[in-house]
Amino acid sequence: MACLYELLQATNHIVNPAGEWNNARIVAQGIYVEHWLNGIKVLEYERGGKQFREAVAKSKFKNYPNFGEALKGHILLQDHADLTAFRNIKSGN
C-alpha cells in the first residue's frame, strides 16, 4: 500500500486493520513526489529521475514513452476485485 504501482515499493508503512480507514496522501511538487500513509512518509522519488526511469525500464510500462512523467493528469483509483472504498478524494490543483 502507498507504493508507486508496479514500479517503486513503499517502506515503513503501517496499514490499519480491515474495516478501518487508512489516510493516504501524495504530494507532488514539480518532478519531486512523496507518498504518505497514515502520517508517515513511505516513498519519495523524482519523476524522470534515475531510480524512476530504471523502474519503468524493468516494468510492463517500458514501451510507453515518458511514462509517468506528466506534471498534470487524472487521479487513477484501482482495486483488485476486493471490497474497496474511497472517500474525501481531493486534488491540490
Side-chain angles (χ1 to χ4, degrees):
M1 183 171 262
C3 301
L4 178 58
Y5 180 73
E6 295 269 335
L7 297 177
L8 301 173
Q9 296 296 311
T11 60
N12 301 323
H13 58 282
I14 298 173
V15 180
N16 291 332
E20 293 185 21
W21 289 102
N22 289 288
N23 182 310
R25 183 172 187 215
I26 299 174
V27 178
Q29 296 177 334
I31 63 170
Y32 181 74
V33 181
E34 297 176 347
H35 291 216
W36 292 75
L37 182 63
N38 298 321
I40 299 169
K41 183 167 55 171
V42 295
L43 179 62
E44 62 184 314
Y45 55 92
E46 290 184 2
R47 286 183 280 204
K50 181 180 178 188
Q51 174 193 30
F52 182 90
R53 287 193 174 162
E54 286 176 354
V56 171
K58 296 174 187 173
S59 77
K60 64 183 178 184
F61 307 113
K62 65 184 172 214
N63 295 325
Y64 297 92
N66 303 315
F67 176 82
E69 296 186 32
L71 295 180
K72 290 186 176 184
H74 299 282
I75 296 173
L76 173 65
L77 304 175
Q78 180 175 358
D79 73 86
H80 291 282
D82 293 321
L83 178 61
T84 304
F86 302 96
R87 71 173 183 182
N88 216 12
I89 300 168
K90 300 174 188 171
S91 172
N93 294 339

